[in-house]
């Protein structure tokens, strides 16, 4: 069964009486080389598990089943479940769960489904919730080995940039606390049905065993990052004013203690700078 064939996709959807659900970000892959390459590069081998988010009609899922020990695929759209039963019928190493990944207890799923093997995440992510899904998985702190995602090209560029680059943002800094991101390859809009308005890229996050920087208070660390990028045109000191429970003078002192110029903007800080700064802010908060 060639699921990247446009005629096959149309016939399947007609047979099951379903339509593309825009609200679920459904853009299915129609170039067979892309899912094959993603499965090859995701890192999973025959001893490993894969968690797939949003299998759609099963195009990438089938390739993942060919390389991994078992695939657990979480799909929100109930209408696609009978399609997946048909398209994945020749594989006995796949389990489809009809659920919203954002409402799934990832830890319980991990403990129940992935016993005795490394776990990889793989997904052609729905664009409307790329960052929330990414952060949900990273913040779970579960020992995923690698996460390979198809995302909007702009998001891929943002995630792969550093603090000297215009694409750098709060999500770049936050994700770099959990893992190393690299771009694998670009995929143009014409490789999907229906074709989205934007191009895509496949990225891979190699999750760290331990974060690259140590911080006293993770919640505060992420709050500082968020506030620093919220008003990009402001200096770091102005952007943090009123956001972390300290006066502007105390924030200016904290920035100076962290060795940061008083006119610096948040986008120039890397996560080591944010870690140093948030630890100093924490200390000042405790002295209050
Ligand atoms: N994997 C398929 C492919 O590559 O052709 C489909 C990818 S499509 C971009 C995104 C998929 O994610 C759709 O099947 C959609 O229904 C599903 N999805 C959207 N939101 C979801 C959610 N919150 N939880 C689980 N699946 C979701």
């Amino acid at each position: 069964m060639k699921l990247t064939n446009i005629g096959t996709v149309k016939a399947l959807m007609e047979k099951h009486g379903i339509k593309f659900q825009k609200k679920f970000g459904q853009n299915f892959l129609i170039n067979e080389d892309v899912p094959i390459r993603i499965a090859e590069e995701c890192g999973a081998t025959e001893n490993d598990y894969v968690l797939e988010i949003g299998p759609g009609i099963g195009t990438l899922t089938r390739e993942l089943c060919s390389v991994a020990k078992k695939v657990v695929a979480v799909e929100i759209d109930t209408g696609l479940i009978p399609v997946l039963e048909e398209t994945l019928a020749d594989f006995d190493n796949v389990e489809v769960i009809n659920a919203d990944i954002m409402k799934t207890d990832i830890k319980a799923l991990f403990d129940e489904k992935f016993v005795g093997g490394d776990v990889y995440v793989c997904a052609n992510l729905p664009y409307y919730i790329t960052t929330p899904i990414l952060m949900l998985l990273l913040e779970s702190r579960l020992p995923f080995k690698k996460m390979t995602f198809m995302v909007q090209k702009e998001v891929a560029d943002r995630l792969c940039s550093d603090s000297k680059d215009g694409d750098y943002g709060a999500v770049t800094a936050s994700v770099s606390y959990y893992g190393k991101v690299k771009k694998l390859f670009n995929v143009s809009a014409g490789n999907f049905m229906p074709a989205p308005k934007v191009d895509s890229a496949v990225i891979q996050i190699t999750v760290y065993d331990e974060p690259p920087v140590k911080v006293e208070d993770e919640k505060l660390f992420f709050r500082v990052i968020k506030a620093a990028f919220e008003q990009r045109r402001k200096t770091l000191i102005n952007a943090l004013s009123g956001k972390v429970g300290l006066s502007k003078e105390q924030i200016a002192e904290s920035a100076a203690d962290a060795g940061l110029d008083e006119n610096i903007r948040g986008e120039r800080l890397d996560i080591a700078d944010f870690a140093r700064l948030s630890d100093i802010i924490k200390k000042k908060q405790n002295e209050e």
Side-chain angles (χ1 to χ4, degrees):
M1 186 179 290
K2 210 168 179 186
L3 295 178
T4 47
N5 182 293
I6 295 176
T8 308
V9 179
K10 281 186 179 158
L12 265 174
M13 296 190 71
E14 210 172 285
K15 178 177 169 193
H16 290 274
I18 52 168
K19 291 197 160 49
F20 291 106
Q21 299 269 4
K22 216 174 163 195
K23 66 173 178 191
F24 292 143
Q26 290 178 357
N27 302 98
F28 299 155
L29 277 163
I30 50 165
N31 175 341
E32 68 170 323
D33 295 337
V34 178
I36 292 174
R37 189 161 170 201
I38 295 175
E40 269 171 15
E41 296 199 29
C42 80
T45 67
E46 70 232 20
N47 300 316
D48 305 316
Y49 293 104
V50 176
L51 168 63
E52 188 192 6
I53 296 146
I57 58 167
T59 315
L60 174 59
T61 323
R62 287 174 63 90
E63 301 306 330
L64 294 171
C65 286
S66 304
V67 298
K69 175 158 96 178
K70 186 179 174 187
V71 179
V72 173
V74 179
E75 172 57 58
I76 195 171
D77 186 357
T78 308
L80 288 172
I81 304 304
V83 181
L84 287 163
E85 269 162 25
E86 181 178 338
T87 59
L88 301 175
D90 33 340
F91 291 94
D92 59 5
N93 61 338
V94 60
E95 181 175 347
V96 176
I97 298 174
N98 184 200
D100 177 347
I101 193 71
M102 296 306 297
K103 295 187 183 144
T104 302
D105 181 342
I106 310 273
K107 177 156 186 352
L109 182 129
F110 191 100
D111 292 344
E112 191 191 329
K113 308 289 180 194
F114 304 132
V115 181
D118 286 337
V119 186
Y120 293 77
V121 180
C122 212
N124 172 9
L125 283 179
Y127 295 155
Y128 76 107
I129 47 169
T130 299
T131 307
I133 293 179
L134 213 65
M135 293 316 290
L136 175 87
L137 294 165
L138 292 170
E139 285 169 1
S140 75
R141 284 290 172 71
L142 289 164
F144 296 114
K145 283 280 161 198
K146 284 184 179 179
M147 301 183 183
T148 306
F149 297 121
M150 173 94 71
V151 298
Q152 203 175 314
K153 189 173 168 294
E154 284 69 23
V155 175
D157 290 339
R158 190 172 280 285
L159 288 169
C160 296
S161 65
D162 64 27
S163 59
K164 283 156 214 79
D165 187 328
D167 289 328
Y168 186 70
V171 68
T172 323
S174 302
V175 169
S176 69
Y177 182 71
Y178 296 107
K180 175 94 190 122
V181 190
K182 71 171 177 186
K183 191 195 268 190
L184 297 184
F185 56 96
N186 291 328
V187 183
S188 63
N191 291 290
F192 301 88
M193 182 180 167
K197 288 195 178 67
V198 290
D199 289 332
S200 297
V202 178
I203 57 151
Q204 188 162 70
I205 305 175
T206 304
V207 184
Y208 297 131
D209 292 334
E210 290 291 330
V213 291
K214 261 200 160 7
V215 293
E216 289 289 319
D217 180 340
E218 275 187 2
K219 262 199 176 143
L220 175 66
F221 169 73
F222 287 112
R223 193 154 14 110
V224 169
I225 292 177
K226 191 165 171 260
F229 285 97
E230 243 160 21
Q231 288 152 307
R232 277 178 166 257
R233 272 169 298 167
K234 287 192 174 179
T235 63
L236 175 72
I237 293 169
N238 283 334
L240 296 187
S241 289
K243 297 286 171 65
V244 291
L246 295 182
S247 67
K248 190 173 168 186
E249 288 67 34
Q250 286 171 312
I251 291 168
E253 274 171 31
S254 306
D257 290 353
L260 299 168
D261 186 276
E262 60 178 328
N263 294 317
I264 201 165
R265 287 174 204 275
E267 65 213 37
R268 310 304 293 180
L269 274 62
D270 59 22
I271 57 163
D273 297 323
F274 279 119
R276 224 169 42 252
L277 178 63
S278 70
D279 279 1
I280 292 168
I281 290 174
K282 177 80 187 165
K283 215 167 135 205
K284 283 220 180 331
Q285 285 177 340
N286 290 338
E287 286 164 8
E288 284 288 281

